[in-house]
């Protein structure tokens, strides 16, 4: 089978969060199964060019219809750790991808509407006719719309689309001007409720809704979050649309690429280790302390790695920090905030705790350091308000950092409470779970984890090893995506 992924991220060359990991890991898994995969991405000025090999011109004169005229683009091809990627570089005064960041511009809807159109145009003129186009999140929600409404009539009638939603909160809301830019000229047609019209704002179109309505299959990234999105609040207004398209909607848990995230082969950590030979874990803990100038003491290290925003439960992250310090533990945080108020808040905390030998806050995005923290930490906290899948708890498991998570979304599909889980045997349990969003709830779970570390170290080690041995590779999710691809191809 021939699959093209269209996305706004692919790790490690373009990574703002889990989406990048998933696009890379899934593509690799599908290729390992003997299928051809290509990835189409924007060419951002700030991407990690040092992770691209053999970059060369792939298509020099791509003219992408836009705003009644056309924008001239170049397409480059290169390999990102073995995956073949095509990078689209527009040459226009809009400077769509030369902003020094991936997301957060006022015209993001225009930037990614243009990217979706450019990706379709590139496939059309370069003769690429994949069996399946797999697109991700709001940024590429318009791809299936463009395919069905325009490109199908130009020789792309056999392509099928799988659309994966990694985060319902960001949906791509825009006015009618985007339709005009894209050449989708019949405004009243697209503004019908069963097409692109936003479910709550009658004067706006919704990219993600378009993705749901027009794709052949839609999924989010865990079975539990699929339920939450359809029946709870976490569909952020798209629950009714999902209900209407129920028959083509499901949840497939993300996997972890164990060639990248594996303490046995990780190039970014000084000592390798496995569940059987755990000595390296203690050495990495020492190395982490040396790197972050933490005191070498007989204490557990609790960590948090992730974006600092409301979704991730920042108030509980903040509380976990002081609670852990109060329980004679060390705390390491690696996170970046896009919201200025949260950034200022944590910058103040960093200054305040600067001389504390048990605590380190690293504000910013640092892929290399994240590996060392996973390898050095004993416990990882993930107190999210909502979490479609969550990768950090799965990576933590593989690195022997026992997860303490809130029981939502994918977290509940992957972490099973040491004391209270009713559905898994004691041998399958791997962490600690709490449910409410208050501080007492977090304390109940984090407190149990720290107490186990201090008072029953053998049991803690056993729990750590059980986590390291659980399988969250791409093996099973890869099989499920292949079934989806097969199914829609023959529909
Ligand atoms: P998200 O909602 O951000 O996609 P996930 O848990 O699905 O959250 O994925 C987060 C990914 O991003 C993980 O690979 C994690 O290690 C990485 N990550 C998050 N924040 C940082 C950071 N500040 N520095 C380095 N890596 C980070």
């Amino acid at each position: 089978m021939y699959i093209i992924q269209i996305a706004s991220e692919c790790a490690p060359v373009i990574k703002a969060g889990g989406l990048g990991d998933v696009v890379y890991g899934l593509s690799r898994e599908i290729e390992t199964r003997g299928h051809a995969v290509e990835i189409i991405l924007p060419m951002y000025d700030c991407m990690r060019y040092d992770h691209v090999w053999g970059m060369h011109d792939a298509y020099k004169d791509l003219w992408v219809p836009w705003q009644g005229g056309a924008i001239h683009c170049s397409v480059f091809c290169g390999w990102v750790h073995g995956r073949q990627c095509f990078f689209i570089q527009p040459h226009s005064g809009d400077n769509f991808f030369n902003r020094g960041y991936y997301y957060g511009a006022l015209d993001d809807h225009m930037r990614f509407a243009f990217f979706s159109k450019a990706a379709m145009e590139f496939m059309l003129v370069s003769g690429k006719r994949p069996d399946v186009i797999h697109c991700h999140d709001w940024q590429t929600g318009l791809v299936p719309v463009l395919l069905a409404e325009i490109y199908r009539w130009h020789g792309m009638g056999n392509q099928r689309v799988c659309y994966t939603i990694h985060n319902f909160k960001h949906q791509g809301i825009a006015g009618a001007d985007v339709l005009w830019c894209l050449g989708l000229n019949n405004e009243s047609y697209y503004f019908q409720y069963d097409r692109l019209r936003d479910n709550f704002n009658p004067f706006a179109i919704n990219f993600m809704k378009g993705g749901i309505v027009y794709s052949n299959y839609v999924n989010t990234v865990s079975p539990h979050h699929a339920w939450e999105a359809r029946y709870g609040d976490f569909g952020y207004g798209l629950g009714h649309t999902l209900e209407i398209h129920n028959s083509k909607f499901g949840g497939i848990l993300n996997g972890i690429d164990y060639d990248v995230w594996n303490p046995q082969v990780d190039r970014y950590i000084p000592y390798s280790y496995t569940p059987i030979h755990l000595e390296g874990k203690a050495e990495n803990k020492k190395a982490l302390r040396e790197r972050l100038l933490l005191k070498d003491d007989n204490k557990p290290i609790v960590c948090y790695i992730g974006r600092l925003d409301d979704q991730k439960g920042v108030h509980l992250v903040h509380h976990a920090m002081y609670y852990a310090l109060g329980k004679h533990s060390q705390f390491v945080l690696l996170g970046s905030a896009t919201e200025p108020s949260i950034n200022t808040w944590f910058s103040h905390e960093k200054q305040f705790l600067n001389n504390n030998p048990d605590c380190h806050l690293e504000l910013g995005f640092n892929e290399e350091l994240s590996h060392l923290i996973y390898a050095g930490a004993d416990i990882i906290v993930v107190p999210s308000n909502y979490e479609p899948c969550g990768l950090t708890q799965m990576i933590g498991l593989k690195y022997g950092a026992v997860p303490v998570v809130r029981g939502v979304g994918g977290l509940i599909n992957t972490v099973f409470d040491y004391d209270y889980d009713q559905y898994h045997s004691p041998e399958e349990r791997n962490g600690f779970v709490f449910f409410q969003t208050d501080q007492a709830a977090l304390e109940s779970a984090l407190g149990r984890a720290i107490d186990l570390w201090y008072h029953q170290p053998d049991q803690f080690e056993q729990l750590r090893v059980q986590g390291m041995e659980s399988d969250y590779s791409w093996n099973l999710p890869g099989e499920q995506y292949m079934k989806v691809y097969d199914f829609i191809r023959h529909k």
Side-chain angles (χ1 to χ4, degrees):
M1 211 184 297
Y2 174 22
I3 295 110
I4 289 192
Q5 308 259 359
I6 306 179
S8 55
E9 291 180 37
C10 174
V13 62
I14 307 165
K15 173 169 166 177
L19 171 63
D21 287 322
V22 171
V23 170
Y24 178 85
L26 175 61
S27 303
R28 183 174 172 279
E29 173 67 26
I30 301 167
E31 270 186 49
T32 323
R33 288 166 182 267
H35 305 280
V37 182
E38 290 169 347
I39 307 171
I40 302 181
L41 299 157
M43 186 149 172
Y44 304 94
D45 56 350
C46 56
M47 65 189 205
R48 293 276 306 258
Y49 285 86
D50 56 324
H51 284 290
V52 189
W53 279 266
M55 185 82 105
H56 61 276
D57 280 339
Y59 203 94
K60 269 198 177 126
D61 280 320
L62 177 70
W63 287 92
V64 180
W66 186 251
Q67 277 184 341
I71 289 182
H72 181 214
C73 297
S74 304
V75 184
F76 293 86
C77 174
W79 280 264
V80 174
H81 297 261
R83 310 283 77 71
Q84 191 174 18
C85 297
F86 292 90
F87 299 94
I88 297 184
Q89 181 185 53
H91 307 290
S92 92
D94 300 301
N95 262 332
F96 282 134
F97 305 120
N98 296 330
R99 308 277 179 95
Y101 50 79
Y102 299 136
Y103 313 119
L106 283 176
D107 62 342
D108 271 2
H109 56 290
M110 281 294 181
R111 298 168 72 213
F112 291 103
F114 176 80
F115 169 61
S116 302
K117 178 86 179 177
M120 291 307 303
E121 193 66 25
F122 171 54
M123 285 193 283
L124 179 74
V125 297
S126 61
K128 292 187 183 299
R129 298 292 182 270
D131 298 298
V132 173
I133 298 172
H134 192 160
C135 43
H136 301 264
D137 264 353
W138 75 266
Q139 291 89 345
T140 53
L142 293 178
V143 164
V145 181
L146 291 165
L147 178 67
E149 299 289 357
I150 298 178
Y151 289 87
R152 171 160 74 115
W153 309 106
H154 295 273
M156 295 186 73
N158 291 326
Q159 280 55 57
R160 300 285 180 270
V161 181
C162 172
Y163 181 49
T164 300
I165 297 174
H166 301 256
N167 196 331
F168 278 96
K169 190 167 182 186
H170 308 284
Q171 299 181 358
I173 308 295
D177 50 338
V178 173
L179 294 175
W180 181 73
C181 289
L182 289 164
L184 299 170
N185 294 329
N186 191 348
E187 191 179 315
S188 56
Y189 170 82
Y190 294 108
F191 262 84
Q192 286 169 21
Y193 180 79
D194 56 359
R195 292 207 165 75
L196 300 191
R197 191 176 88 204
D198 185 68
N199 289 356
F200 292 93
N201 180 349
F203 306 108
I205 58 158
N206 183 317
F207 292 16
M208 188 171 273
K209 180 170 172 181
I212 296 171
V213 171
Y214 280 85
S215 295
N216 303 94
Y217 188 79
V218 183
N219 75 294
T220 186
V221 286
S222 68
H224 190 65
H225 194 61
W227 186 91
E228 289 172 339
R230 200 161 58 215
Y231 300 117
D233 291 341
F234 293 134
Y236 284 91
L238 286 174
H240 184 231
T241 309
L242 293 173
E243 188 57 33
I244 293 171
H245 295 277
N246 196 5
S247 62
K248 60 170 187 181
F249 176 63
I252 300 178
L253 196 69
N254 284 334
I256 296 289
D257 189 334
Y258 285 156
D259 266 17
V260 176
W261 297 108
N262 181 351
Q264 196 174 1
V265 297
D266 193 327
R267 289 174 299 130
Y268 297 125
I269 62 173
Y271 303 95
S272 59
Y273 59 98
T274 64
I276 298 166
H277 295 288
L278 259 174
E279 310 80 36
K281 174 95 189 158
E283 298 293 337
N284 286 308
K285 189 169 173 179
K286 252 190 188 159
L288 177 64
R289 282 177 167 152
E290 269 168 33
R291 165 113 186 235
L292 302 181
L293 303 177
L294 295 176
K295 195 168 162 198
D296 198 8
D297 218 343
N298 182 32
K299 290 182 175 180
I301 297 184
V302 181
C303 77
Y304 172 81
I305 300 171
R307 291 182 291 115
L308 291 169
D309 79 9
D310 191 43
Q311 174 195 336
K312 300 291 178 184
V314 266
H315 286 86
L316 288 182
V317 172
H318 180 260
H319 185 68
M321 190 161 72
Y322 283 100
Y323 181 72
L325 291 175
K327 294 264 301 173
H328 309 291
S329 307
Q330 296 183 319
F331 197 92
V332 172
L333 176 144
L334 171 62
S336 52
T338 44
E339 209 176 291
S341 60
I342 297 179
N343 198 25
T344 313
W345 178 25
F346 276 86
S347 302
H348 279 137
E349 289 296 340
K350 184 178 166 65
Q351 272 178 5
F352 179 65
L353 291 162
N354 209 16
N355 295 323
N356 189 322
D358 286 329
C359 189
H360 183 91
L361 274 61
E362 186 76 24
L363 302 182
F365 194 91
N366 190 333
E367 177 80 16
E368 286 80 1
L369 178 61
S370 73
H371 287 247
L372 182 60
I373 299 177
Y374 286 117
D378 298 294
I379 295 167
I380 182 166
V381 283
V382 194
S384 304
N385 275 328
Y386 74 95
E387 194 59 78
C389 175
L391 298 183
T392 61
Q393 83 282 11
M394 295 200 267
I395 302 172
L397 282 169
K398 187 69 182 172
Y399 282 72
V402 172
V404 173
V405 307
R406 185 159 170 255
V408 281
L411 297 171
I412 215 170
N413 290 135
T414 49
V415 180
F416 315 119
D417 193 275
Y418 174 72
D419 295 302
Y420 302 123
D421 193 283
Q422 294 174 357
Y423 304 105
H424 296 84
S425 66
E427 294 73 39
E428 292 170 321
R429 297 178 194 173
N430 55 14
F432 296 88
V433 183
F434 63 98
F435 290 91
Q436 310 303 330
T437 51
D438 55 315
Q439 299 181 346
L442 171 100
E443 288 178 11
S444 74
L446 184 53
R448 284 187 291 130
I450 295 173
D451 287 345
L452 194 70
W453 190 92
Y454 269 114
H455 305 304
Q456 290 173 289
D458 291 348
Q459 304 279 4
F460 189 91
E461 285 311 297
Q462 177 62 30
L463 188 63
R464 193 200 302 272
V465 166
Q466 279 173 206
M468 292 178 77
E469 283 173 344
S470 47
D471 178 8
Y472 288 114
S473 67
W474 273 105
N475 196 13
L476 187 63
E479 197 178 308
Q480 291 170 334
Y481 275 110
M482 289 316 304
K483 278 190 187 147
V484 166
Y485 294 165
D486 245 349
F487 172 69
I488 58 180
R489 201 159 66 115
H490 296 113
K491 216 159 92 161

